Amino acid sequence: MKELTLQTKVTACAVEEMNPSMRELVEKAKAMTQKAYCPYSHFHVGAAARLADGQIITGSNQENAAYPSGLCAERTTLFAANANYPQTRVEALAIACYTNGHFTKDAASPCGACRQVMLETEHRFGKPMQVVLYGEDMCYIFDSAADLLPMNFVAENLLG
Ligand code: THU
């Protein structure tokens, strides 16, 4: 028996330190928080995905009176991107959260289901997808969705 340690690489930075294209993506995610439909949680989440051809697809969380029928901003955005541009790789995804009248100081970390969908998106195009989490105090950049979901389940696992 031996104990293994799983490590994740992440870059912590201020939004001002990002390159212009990443900063633009973060600004789009921030703007999208204002379009969230979140009458139950009042927690506004915005996301923006940059495709390999430069297009930016955006989304926000969409809640429902039947709570489990709602969907997070990350999946709304990635499903829209993949549904409309199935051949075009998603290079990067930015996420921002807004509640109680301000953007969250800490970057909110995506839920497990969204991480699984991010991983599938990355996997289907065979290249890493960057994930950028915006926080007023600190942002986090993951160079691959897999870094957010170690020991993950992908298509190959179905082969046994
Ligand atoms: N939510 C997201 O959109 N993304 C996340 O990563 C976490 C949570 C949404 C779901 C729900 O509408 C609200 O935030 C509160 O959980």
Side-chain angles (χ1 to χ4, degrees):
M1 197 191 294
K2 68 174 174 180
E3 192 175 279
L4 304 175
T5 302
L6 303 177
Q7 288 188 320
T8 288
K9 195 185 80 139
V10 58
T11 303
C13 67
V15 75
E16 294 78 20
E17 295 178 275
M18 293 179 192
N19 67 41
S21 77
M22 191 170 284
R23 215 164 148 170
E24 182 193 10
L25 204 62
V26 166
E27 291 307 327
K28 298 242 184 219
K30 286 175 72 177
M32 284 306 290
T33 61
Q34 303 310 306
K35 294 188 180 173
Y37 177 66
C38 53
Y40 307 106
S41 73
H42 306 290
F43 191 72
H44 303 243
V45 187
R50 184 166 17 82
L51 308 190
D53 63 5
Q55 278 192 91
I56 293 179
I57 308 299
T58 55
S60 59
N61 54 330
Q62 299 295 312
E63 296 186 349
N64 195 289
Y67 290 4
S69 301
L71 197 64
C72 293
E74 295 89 325
R75 278 177 286 164
T76 304
T77 304
L78 289 178
F79 288 153
N82 291 331
N84 287 294
Y85 306 99
Q87 312 297 343
T88 314
R89 180 168 90 86
V90 182
E91 285 183 345
L93 178 73
I95 303 144
C97 303
Y98 180 97
T99 192
N100 296 323
H102 57 79
F103 290 101
T104 56
K105 290 195 183 309
D106 291 329
S109 209
C111 79
C114 286
R115 291 175 195 223
Q116 186 67 32
V117 170
M118 289 178 201
L119 183 74
E120 184 78 22
T121 300
E122 169 168 289
H123 202 258
R124 71 187 269 177
F125 296 112
K127 273 192 179 175
M129 177 181 78
Q130 279 191 319
V131 181
V132 187
L133 311 180
Y134 174 79
E136 288 271 89
D137 287 349
M138 189 66 76
C139 300
Y140 296 96
I141 304 170
F142 294 83
D143 283 336
S144 165
D147 290 332
L148 279 160
L149 198 57
M151 292 198 75
N152 51 50
F153 188 84
V154 287
E156 286 73 32
N157 296 108
L158 290 169
L159 304 174

